Amino acid sequence: LSCNWVVTDMDPSVQKHFTVVDYVIFALLLVASMAIGLYYALSGGRQRTTQEFLLADRSMSCLPISLSLIASFQSAVAIVGVPAEVFVHGTQYWFIGCAYILGLLIPAHVFIPVLYRLRLSSAYQYLELRFSKTVRICGTVDFMDYVFGTQTVLHVTVLFLSVTGFELWGTVLATGLVCTLYTTIGGLKAVIWTDVFQTVVMFAGQLAVIVVGVQQTGGVSEVWNKVWEGNRISGLNLNPDPTERHTFWTLGVGGVFLMLSLYGVNQAQVQRYLSARTEKEAVRSCYMVFPSLQLALALGCVMGLVMFARYCGEDHSGKLGNSSGDAMVIYFVMDMLQGLPGLPGLFIACLFSGALSTISSAFNSLATVTMEDLIKPHCPPMTEARATMVSKALALSYGLLCLAMAFLSHLMADSVLQVALKILGMVGGPILGVFCLGMFFPWSNSIGAVAGLAAGLVVAFWVGIGSIVTRTSSVSSLSSKCQNVLMSHNTTSVPVRSITNVTISATSGLKRFYSLSYMWYSGFSCITVIVIGLIISFLTGPMKEEDVAPGTVFPLLGKLLWFVPERVRKRLCCVTPLGHTVRNTTKGNPFYKSQKKGRNKSHSLFIYIISLIWDLF
């Protein structure tokens, strides 16, 4: 089969402008989102308490929570980034779906039970209960870097809407102000229910593009033949090289750490778990996310395959004045949907929904951690009305900060999918390591947690910044056997680039270290935190079981080391039941006394190891 066919240039006037129907559909999205925020601002308790504004009165059911969890993950970055990835590199990225299994099962049965039973408002309150206030503040500050990741979402939205005739300032203001307003007036309930509405819009927009694309390409069989001939159906790559960008190990194993950092300890997701009516509802919502995430991944990958079949690998993004792979997705959508009133507006609404859901989640969660972790512990007791007002002001402030940062988003040159996952790995991996250190290793102490977190951040930013400075890459673009015949009114005005083989020379030393696949960033930094944290904890005096706060440790090691004598397991593994509640003390820090006692009676590393060997034999 030969993939020879004709592609004609789009009329720029058609390419860059909406019809009236498109504008109406786009406007309906904005109106509906604002209406939901206004409804929850005027109903119920009218967002007069921090409990309602930040945690939705802990009254949400599993269905809206699960759809909200999807929306915050299936952002504009995924809607555009996944098809662009598949178009250029094939379906290898699809194997990240394997990581969704453990990436959701572990949070459902480990992180959610621990965090929910402690009745927290911020995920980082756990770090104070388990370690100290210093660790809590460090974790909060680390999460606040998450705001810098929202600029990738705005970058995609700005890039796409600018092609349709929107000016940069109008795009940024429309995206930022709408989600800032409904987040500020409606609280977490508005964020969750707008996420539900926006999830439906996202799926509808992607499905519309796929259906039209398949039809215009010649049907399902024609699409399959072309992507097969074009070598875009990837097999199972078991290459163990960690510098290989995408293999089964980087996606299926490294992706687990990425998913855990997002669905296990990220405040934006944990806040949704904590808003559930019961622990069972929270766990059920985590289970309900799995099929929807698989569907979202499938839609993105299929869209990339249809895009490849439509153009046989030829990159037309230069016609939009942008040579990035993400711009090719924009060209494809505008090409497929031109002349079909309403469908371009539907996809714009789909993309806009992804941006709104992610950014509003960031605003709300950042306001929560700032209020609960940084302001309340250091300010005199505030009235509920004042605390709620401050929380709303924080949400508004973060929204305006994100708007200011969005004007710099056009400076990014890398794939938005890779940029977003790099940021998540560099910021989320170290904090995942601190939570794992506290939940699974009861002898780890506060000093070890701080040292481990610092080491994890240093290593993560070292490899991340090093990869940018040295411009290392292990990407091998697939070659296409298809040959396109391009017929245009002016074939010499716009260059069209074909995908060719890229040979990457072997690297060594620091360059090889900088070539580490971005999918390993989260796992690498997480393991660094755990290893350094355990070493420092042993050197400074490991905590004993009676010094660890009840309910803050998951007895994982006790279950894994069932073959070890009970005396050793008891010394190694704190098995305090998760259902125990935390007792308050007069010092404000509920574990002040136990921590003080632990410092006075801590064993040296030498004596501790000798005692373990004695018990073992």
Side-chain angles (χ1 to χ4, degrees):
L1 177 67
S2 176
C3 189
N4 298 321
W5 56 297
V6 176
V7 179
T8 59
D9 276 347
M10 292 188 298
D11 182 358
S13 63
V14 176
Q15 168 192 332
K16 294 187 178 181
H17 293 89
F18 279 180
T19 64
V20 175
V21 178
D22 296 321
Y23 280 112
V24 170
I25 292 177
F26 183 65
L28 285 176
L29 171 71
L30 301 182
V31 172
S33 299
M34 285 300 301
I36 293 173
L38 187 61
Y39 172 78
Y40 284 105
L42 301 176
S43 63
R46 299 188 178 183
Q47 310 301 320
R48 291 175 178 170
T49 65
T50 54
Q51 183 82 351
E52 183 179 13
F53 182 75
L54 300 177
L55 291 173
D57 270 342
R58 301 186 189 268
S59 61
M60 303 302 297
S61 60
C62 61
L63 180 60
I65 292 176
S66 63
L67 292 177
S68 182
L69 290 169
I70 297 165
S72 57
F73 180 78
Q74 182 68 4
S75 66
V77 171
I79 293 171
V80 172
V82 173
E85 167 68 29
V86 173
F87 174 78
V88 177
H89 302 292
T91 58
Q92 189 68 224
Y93 184 79
W94 209 326
F95 285 103
I96 197 174
C98 299
Y100 292 172
I101 302 173
L102 288 179
L104 292 170
L105 282 177
I106 295 175
H109 294 282
V110 177
F111 293 105
I112 291 179
V114 172
L115 298 176
Y116 192 91
R117 295 176 193 181
L118 291 173
R119 306 296 291 178
L120 308 175
S121 298
S122 162
Y124 308 106
Q125 285 178 285
Y126 167 83
L127 298 179
E128 180 177 358
L129 301 180
R130 174 62 180 85
F131 295 114
S132 67
K133 185 174 294 185
T134 301
V135 182
R136 175 181 179 177
I137 293 175
C138 290
T140 300
V141 172
D142 176 68
F143 172 74
M144 292 177 71
D145 293 338
Y146 181 66
V147 71
F148 295 101
T150 59
Q151 67 172 319
T152 59
V153 178
L154 282 174
H155 169 73
V156 177
T157 311
V158 168
L159 180 63
F160 203 113
L161 295 188
S162 62
V163 173
T164 64
F166 283 78
E167 296 294 335
L168 175 63
W169 66 269
T171 302
V172 173
L173 289 178
T175 307
L177 290 181
V178 169
C179 67
T180 299
L181 288 175
Y182 75 69
T183 302
T184 302
I185 65 176
L188 185 61
K189 283 184 181 179
V191 171
I192 289 177
W193 281 109
T194 51
D195 284 349
V196 172
F197 166 68
Q198 290 157 5
T199 300
V200 176
V201 174
M202 281 189 280
F203 284 154
Q206 287 179 292
L207 192 59
V209 174
I210 291 172
V211 171
V212 174
V214 170
Q215 183 181 11
Q216 294 193 15
T217 306
V220 176
S221 60
E222 187 73 7
V223 171
W224 174 259
N225 290 333
K226 289 176 180 178
V227 298
W228 181 264
E229 182 185 290
N231 196 27
R232 282 306 179 275
I233 305 299
S234 304
L236 188 64
N237 184 354
L238 296 177
N239 186 352
D241 186 358
T243 64
E244 186 76 17
R245 183 169 175 268
H246 285 166
T247 67
F248 173 78
W249 305 112
T250 60
L251 294 166
V253 180
V256 171
F257 289 93
L258 189 69
M259 291 294 293
L260 290 179
S261 67
L262 181 65
Y263 280 94
V265 300
N266 186 286
Q267 172 65 23
Q269 313 293 31
V270 170
Q271 196 167 339
R272 285 156 174 74
Y273 302 144
L274 299 177
S275 70
R277 287 191 295 241
T278 63
E279 181 186 329
K280 184 178 291 187
E281 293 279 343
V283 172
R284 192 176 298 165
S285 68
C286 202
Y287 270 96
M288 292 177 67
V289 170
F290 179 76
S292 301
L293 279 182
Q294 294 288 358
L295 174 61
L297 178 63
L299 288 176
C301 291
V302 170
M303 184 174 165
L305 292 177
V306 174
M307 183 167 65
F308 178 86
R310 179 70 175 88
Y311 306 110
C312 282
E314 296 290 348
D315 190 343
H316 297 264
S317 59
K319 298 180 180 181
L320 302 181
N322 191 309
S323 60
S324 70
D326 306 307
M328 184 58 198
V329 180
I330 301 171
Y331 177 91
F332 170 68
V333 172
M334 300 305 293
D335 186 20
M336 290 298 95
L337 301 183
Q338 63 173 326
L340 299 174
L343 289 185
L346 178 62
F347 189 82
I348 293 297
C350 159
L351 190 71
F352 202 82
S353 295
L356 288 176
S357 61
T358 303
I359 297 170
S360 62
S361 300
F363 293 169
N364 191 266
S365 57
L366 285 166
T368 301
V369 298
T370 305
M371 183 66 191
E372 297 294 331
D373 299 335
L374 300 181
I375 295 179
K376 278 188 175 180
H378 301 91
C379 291
M382 290 187 291
T383 63
E384 193 63 33
R386 179 180 291 272
T388 305
M389 184 181 299
V390 172
S391 299
K392 293 181 178 181
L394 287 170
L396 179 62
S397 300
Y398 280 118
L400 296 177
L401 174 61
C402 190
L403 283 178
M405 293 174 57
F407 285 97
L408 302 176
S409 63
H410 67 282
L411 299 177
M412 293 189 306
D414 210 344
S415 162
V416 292
L417 180 66
Q418 185 166 329
V419 169
L421 295 182
K422 270 188 176 182
I423 293 174
L424 184 59
M426 291 163 62
V427 177
I431 199 64
L432 171 65
V434 176
F435 274 86
C436 291
L437 194 66
M439 288 190 184
F440 306 142
F441 303 96
W443 59 88
S444 60
N445 61 26
S446 177
I447 300 175
V450 173
L453 178 60
L457 286 171
V458 168
V459 168
F461 280 89
W462 181 16
V463 66
I465 296 175
S467 67
I468 296 173
V469 172
T470 59
R471 297 292 181 184
T472 58
S473 174
S474 58
V475 180
S476 299
S477 297
L478 301 176
S479 61
S480 171
K481 299 178 183 178
C482 301
Q483 298 293 328
N484 287 3
V485 178
L486 297 174
M487 298 182 62
S488 171
H489 298 294
N490 184 10
T491 56
T492 61
S493 61
V494 180
V496 178
R497 296 178 288 106
S498 299
I499 298 174
T500 57
N501 285 327
V502 177
T503 303
I504 305 299
S505 59
T507 57
S508 60
L510 278 180
K511 285 190 176 181
R512 182 169 177 79
F513 176 66
Y514 296 147
S515 298
L516 182 71
S517 170
Y518 70 97
M519 292 299 299
W520 282 116
Y521 283 12
S522 186
F524 182 58
S525 56
C526 174
I527 294 173
T528 299
V529 172
I530 294 174
V531 172
I532 298 299
L534 290 177
I535 292 175
I536 299 299
S537 294
F538 276 119
L539 292 175
T540 57
M543 294 185 71
K544 296 187 297 184
E545 180 175 354
E546 60 268 23
D547 299 330
V548 179
T552 59
V553 173
F554 186 86
L556 178 65
L557 290 179
K559 296 179 179 180
L560 294 178
L561 302 178
W562 54 270
F563 53 89
V564 175
E566 184 177 356
R567 288 178 301 173
V568 178
R569 276 191 294 143
K570 185 175 181 181
R571 186 178 292 273
L572 284 175
C573 312
C574 178
V575 291
T576 306
L578 293 179
H580 284 199
T581 57
V582 177
R583 296 188 301 271
N584 291 324
T585 68
T586 58
K587 286 290 183 181
N589 182 349
F591 306 110
Y592 173 79
K593 292 182 179 179
S594 63
Q595 290 173 351
K596 185 176 180 180
K597 179 176 63 175
R599 287 194 298 267
N600 293 336
K601 296 184 178 181
S602 59
H603 291 178
S604 67
L605 175 62
F606 176 76
I607 295 178
Y608 191 82
I609 294 176
I610 293 298
S611 63
L612 281 179
I613 296 175
W614 177 265
D615 287 339
L616 184 61
F617 294 100

